[in-house]
């Protein structure tokens, strides 16, 4: 099991086996791995993320690049013209005085740089930035504040942005002979020696002290689950591969999240679903964004297609793209930008290190 959260943003560990590709920057959660290095450091995932962030500014909108270039030449031209007005006429025009032409040069400087615009517009932006700061929102600059006014496409990350990013037991299903409490208890005893995030979620949901002296014949089967004897009963807790390996007929589950099947004394007892939860205000936020005229709401996630599409349906998003790495998120963002039919801005909302390239590439990046 590998923790890929720093790269994909997803908290659920990924299962790997011989022959699978492993991304640099992931953390081994259990077991011993022998890994063959197949790429130079410059081609590694982490190195690509850094390169994407550094190059993002070069791909900003053409209008922004034009304004930056224009302002670089405009100011010195105006200053030199004003100097010429102050110096040349008194030297070449009879009767002209320096006092008159210096005054006219100053007038020209004022006209070419309108005070009303120069003073009032920055003050307006400072007021907006200050008001946002009081609500706990930090705006990096006035250009981002102005861009927000023209946003017509918003792209979200999933974990930690639309969902809480904390995995917990969300459903317990049992057959008639077992209560939910008993099933959870047996699963908690089985998982008591594991430091896997799924095991921790089950132990937290159980919430009681576990007497480990009641546990016997503990056997963790890599990639499958756990076999153990608890209070004289033989418990199996794991994925569908464990059930198939032990020839136990199990229910096919179509749930959003990770499913832990439980069997007691060779008979299927039920299952426990561990999944991420949608944030309490996520649906309200999506609804209100559509209400103020945002035309397209999209989600990009490194999570599985099944989970991503289920979250998208619950929230009412327009499009969902799943199983994406950081560089693939940037590519998808650029595709979405090309698909826009208006001149509106594209805003990306994310929270993880893996979102840094997309945050930098978007017209406006919002980070929690």
């Amino acid at each position: 099991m590998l923790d890929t959260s720093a790269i994909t943003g997803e908290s659920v560990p990924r299962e790997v086996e011989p022959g699978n590709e492993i991304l640099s920057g992931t953390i081994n959660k259990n077991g011993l791995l022998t890994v063959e290095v197949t790429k130079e450091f410059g081609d590694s995932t982490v190195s690509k993320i850094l390169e994407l962030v550094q190059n993002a500014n070069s791909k900003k909108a053409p209008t922004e690049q034009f304004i930056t270039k224009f302002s670089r030449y405009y100011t010195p031209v105006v200053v030199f013209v004003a100097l010429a007005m102050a110096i040349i006429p008194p030297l070449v025009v009879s009767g002209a005085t320096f006092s008159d032409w210096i005054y006219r040069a100053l007038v020209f400087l004022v006209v070419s740089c309108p005070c009303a615009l120069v003073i009032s517009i920055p003050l307006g932006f400072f007021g907006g930035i200050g008001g946002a700061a009081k609500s706990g929102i930090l705006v990096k600059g006035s250009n981002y504040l102005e861009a927000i006014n023209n946003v017509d496409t918003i792209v979200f990350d999933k974990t930690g942005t639309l969902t809480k990013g904390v995995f917990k037991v969300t459903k317990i299903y049992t057959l008639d002979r077992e209560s939910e409490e008993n099933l959870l208890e047996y699963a908690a005893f089985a998982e008591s020696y594991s430091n896997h995030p799924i095991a921790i979620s089950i132990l937290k949901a159980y919430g009681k002290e576990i007497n480990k002296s009641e546990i016997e014949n503990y056997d963790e089967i890599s990639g499958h689950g756990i076999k153990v004897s608890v209070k004289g009963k033989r418990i199996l807790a794991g994925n569908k591969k464990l059930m198939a390996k032990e020839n136990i007929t199990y229910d096919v589950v179509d749930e959003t999240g990770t499913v832990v099947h439980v069997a007691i004394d060779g008979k299927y007892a039920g299952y426990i679903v561990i999944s991420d939860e949608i944030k309490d205000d996520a649906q309200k936020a999506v609804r209100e964004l559509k209400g103020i005229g945002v035309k397209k709401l999209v989600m990009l996630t490194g999570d599985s297609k099944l989970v991503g599409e289920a979250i998208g349906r619950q929230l009412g998003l327009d499009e969902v793209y799943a199983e994406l790495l950081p560089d693939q998120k940037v590519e998808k963002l650029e595709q979405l930008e090309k698909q826009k039919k208006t001149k509106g801005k594209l805003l990306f909302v994310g929270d993880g290190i893996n979102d840094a390239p997309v945050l930098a590439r978007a017209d406006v990046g919002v980070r929690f």
Side-chain angles (χ1 to χ4, degrees):
M1 290 291 183
L2 296 179
D3 178 359
T4 63
S5 58
I7 304 300
T8 65
E10 303 309 318
S11 301
V12 174
R14 293 282 178 91
E15 184 180 313
V16 293
E17 56 188 28
N20 290 160
E21 185 179 59
I22 294 177
L23 301 175
S24 61
T26 56
I27 300 169
N28 184 14
K29 299 296 291 184
N30 61 330
L32 177 65
L33 292 178
T34 302
V35 182
E36 179 185 0
V37 178
T38 59
K39 295 180 181 178
E40 297 287 340
F41 174 74
D43 296 323
S44 67
T45 306
V46 175
S47 180
K48 284 182 178 178
I49 291 175
L50 181 60
E51 184 183 346
L52 287 166
V53 173
Q54 291 173 336
N55 294 337
N57 287 334
S58 64
K59 296 183 179 179
K60 287 290 185 182
T63 305
E64 294 177 65
Q65 293 178 351
F66 170 76
I67 293 298
T68 302
K69 188 181 291 185
F70 177 78
S71 62
R72 190 183 303 159
Y73 298 108
Y74 177 74
T75 301
V77 167
V78 167
V79 171
F80 283 122
V81 169
L83 283 172
M85 285 182 65
I87 296 171
I88 296 174
L91 297 177
V92 298
V93 179
S94 61
T97 63
F98 277 102
S99 58
D100 286 342
W101 284 98
I102 289 174
Y103 178 79
R104 289 172 182 173
L106 292 174
V107 170
F108 172 77
L109 278 176
V110 172
V111 170
S112 63
C113 185
C115 295
L117 290 175
V118 171
I119 296 174
S120 63
I121 290 178
L123 283 178
F125 282 118
F126 290 148
I129 292 170
K134 286 184 179 179
S135 300
I137 304 168
L138 301 179
V139 182
K140 195 174 179 180
S142 56
N143 55 327
Y144 297 102
L145 196 64
E146 183 179 23
I148 290 172
N149 186 51
N150 299 316
V151 167
D152 67 359
T153 302
I154 297 181
V155 182
F156 296 96
D157 174 47
K158 181 181 76 68
T159 307
T161 304
L162 295 174
T163 64
K164 295 179 180 179
V166 179
F167 287 81
K168 60 184 291 187
V169 173
T170 54
K171 182 177 179 179
I172 300 174
Y173 171 80
T174 68
L175 299 182
D176 295 337
R177 62 180 178 272
E178 292 293 340
S179 68
E180 291 185 3
E181 187 176 345
N182 285 343
L183 190 76
L184 183 61
E185 180 181 17
Y186 286 127
F189 270 84
E191 301 282 5
S192 59
Y193 284 106
S194 176
N195 61 356
H196 192 285
I198 291 171
I200 293 169
S201 300
I202 291 173
L203 291 168
K204 189 174 181 181
Y206 181 57
K208 298 177 185 177
E209 193 72 28
I210 290 178
N211 183 5
K212 294 186 178 180
S213 64
E214 297 180 297
I215 301 173
E216 297 176 346
N217 304 319
Y218 183 89
D219 182 19
E220 183 171 349
I221 305 171
S222 180
H224 291 70
I226 295 166
K227 292 168 64 176
V228 66
S229 295
V230 178
K231 300 177 182 179
K233 293 190 176 185
R234 181 168 159 268
I235 308 299
L236 297 173
N239 56 29
K240 59 185 180 182
K241 289 190 288 185
L242 179 63
M243 298 294 111
K245 186 175 186 293
E246 298 295 326
N247 296 316
I248 293 172
T249 304
Y250 61 93
D251 290 348
V252 178
V253 182
D254 185 17
E255 295 279 355
T256 302
T258 301
V259 178
V260 177
H261 296 280
V262 180
I264 302 172
D265 288 334
K267 295 182 179 179
Y268 189 67
Y271 61 84
I272 298 171
V273 180
I274 295 95
S275 61
D276 198 358
E277 284 188 302
I278 294 175
K279 286 185 176 179
D280 299 332
D281 56 355
Q283 285 182 312
K284 180 184 176 185
V286 169
R287 189 169 57 251
E288 290 183 352
L289 286 170
K290 288 187 174 181
I292 61 174
V294 177
K295 295 179 180 178
K296 184 185 285 189
L297 298 173
V298 183
M299 183 173 76
L300 305 182
T301 178
D303 208 342
S304 68
K305 188 175 181 180
L306 177 66
V307 173
E309 289 180 349
I311 297 293
R313 283 194 301 270
Q314 285 180 262
L315 293 176
L317 300 176
D318 299 308
E319 295 177 14
V320 173
Y321 300 95
E323 301 176 0
L324 301 174
L325 293 176
D327 58 324
Q328 293 172 327
K329 285 186 177 182
V330 174
E331 290 174 9
K332 189 60 65 177
L333 188 91
E334 290 177 345
Q335 287 178 19
L336 290 168
E337 196 163 26
K338 290 176 182 176
Q339 291 170 7
K340 287 191 303 180
K341 296 179 181 179
T342 64
K343 294 183 179 181
K345 301 290 185 180
L346 187 149
L347 181 146
F348 180 83
V349 188
D351 74 312
I353 296 172
N354 61 299
D355 294 326
V358 205
L359 285 163
R361 176 63 187 88
D363 294 321
V364 184
V366 177
R367 182 167 183 176
F368 283 90

